[in-house]
Amino acid sequence: MSRWRLALLLLAGAAYAGLSHWLMLFHPHAPWAMAVLLGPLWLTALGLGGSRFGGWGLVGATLAGLLVFVVLWRGGTGDPNRLYVLQHVGINGVLACWFGGSLRSGRLSLIGQFAQRVHPLGKGMPEYTRQVTWVWTIYFMLTALVSIPVYLWLPFSAWSLLANVLSPATVVVLFVGEHLVRYRLHPEFERTRMIDAVRAFYGATSAEPSAKR
């Protein structure tokens, strides 16, 4: 992944977050808007289906997505806000399970696996990356849990702000903050660039489907 491609991905993510917040506030019931807003859930299903079941998984996820789109277009989903909340909770829950599942005893944590793609792990790094993996696991878990009471007890505009703006912004703050703090806590660690960490994550998620076939 080049720097330009990374910059474009970040800009696209920020634009999508702003668009999602605007659509949820002003066009939450429009079928086309619902298709745009639920797109990340479909992409997640495509990725999981392809990584676990290969071509048949991709076909199944594609057909399921098309079926949901037809239902949305015909207005058969009831209150769409519940679907948006389900998507937010579901994606964060899956991420929490993905990160947390690597914390079992005897395994290298997920952050450790990403770090290993950049350089060999030195002394103390497996334990440190395990602690960072715990931080991300707890973050995704708390985000999923907080989403529900915010939706139930606050105006929907507050929930939309949480899901579309605050959640992704917090991810960026955690990512950059960990990178800045790491060498203050462990100056002995080999120094890496933030873009290398992003490349390692991107490479791991891209390679996963082919590795499991």
Side-chain angles (χ1 to χ4, degrees):
M1 178 186 293
S2 66
R3 293 183 178 181
W4 283 109
R5 186 175 182 182
L6 175 60
L8 288 174
L9 286 174
L10 291 175
L11 288 174
Y16 182 79
L19 175 65
S20 297
H21 184 56
W22 180 77
L23 289 175
M24 285 186 182
L25 292 183
F26 299 104
H27 302 281
H29 298 275
W32 59 270
M34 295 170 66
V36 171
L37 291 168
L38 294 173
L41 185 60
W42 190 18
L43 293 176
T44 301
L46 287 172
L48 291 175
S51 65
R52 292 186 177 275
F53 305 107
W56 286 109
L58 285 174
V59 171
T62 300
L63 293 177
L66 292 174
L67 177 62
V68 171
F69 179 77
V70 171
V71 173
L72 291 175
W73 192 261
R74 300 181 64 177
T77 60
D79 184 3
N81 292 347
R82 296 176 183 174
L83 293 178
Y84 304 146
V85 176
L86 177 63
Q87 173 181 242
H88 187 246
V89 173
I91 290 177
N92 281 278
V94 168
L95 289 171
C97 292
W98 185 30
F99 279 72
S102 68
L103 292 169
R104 288 176 290 181
S105 178
R107 293 188 57 183
L108 182 63
S109 66
L110 188 61
I111 298 296
Q113 296 172 36
F114 296 157
Q116 200 171 47
R117 287 177 168 268
V118 179
H119 55 71
L121 299 184
K123 182 180 179 180
M125 289 201 70
E127 180 58 31
Y128 174 78
T129 55
R130 174 172 289 272
Q131 294 171 354
V132 177
T133 303
W134 267 113
V135 171
W136 281 105
T137 300
I138 294 172
Y139 166 75
F140 289 124
M141 188 182 304
L142 288 177
T143 301
L145 293 176
V146 169
S147 182
I148 298 174
V150 170
Y151 169 70
L152 293 176
W153 299 329
L154 294 178
F156 185 73
S157 58
W159 180 88
S160 178
L161 183 66
L162 168 69
N164 296 308
V165 180
L166 296 182
S167 291
T170 305
V171 168
V172 174
V173 170
L174 277 176
F175 180 78
V176 176
E178 185 277 325
H179 182 84
L180 296 177
V181 170
R182 181 189 316 157
Y183 302 113
R184 291 183 177 273
L185 298 177
H186 297 280
E188 74 278 10
F189 286 174
E190 182 178 346
R191 294 187 175 268
T192 59
R193 301 171 300 171
M194 283 189 287
I195 191 172
D196 293 327
V198 176
R199 286 169 177 164
F201 175 81
Y202 181 81
T205 53
S206 299
E208 184 179 3
S210 58
K212 292 185 178 182
R213 288 175 188 170

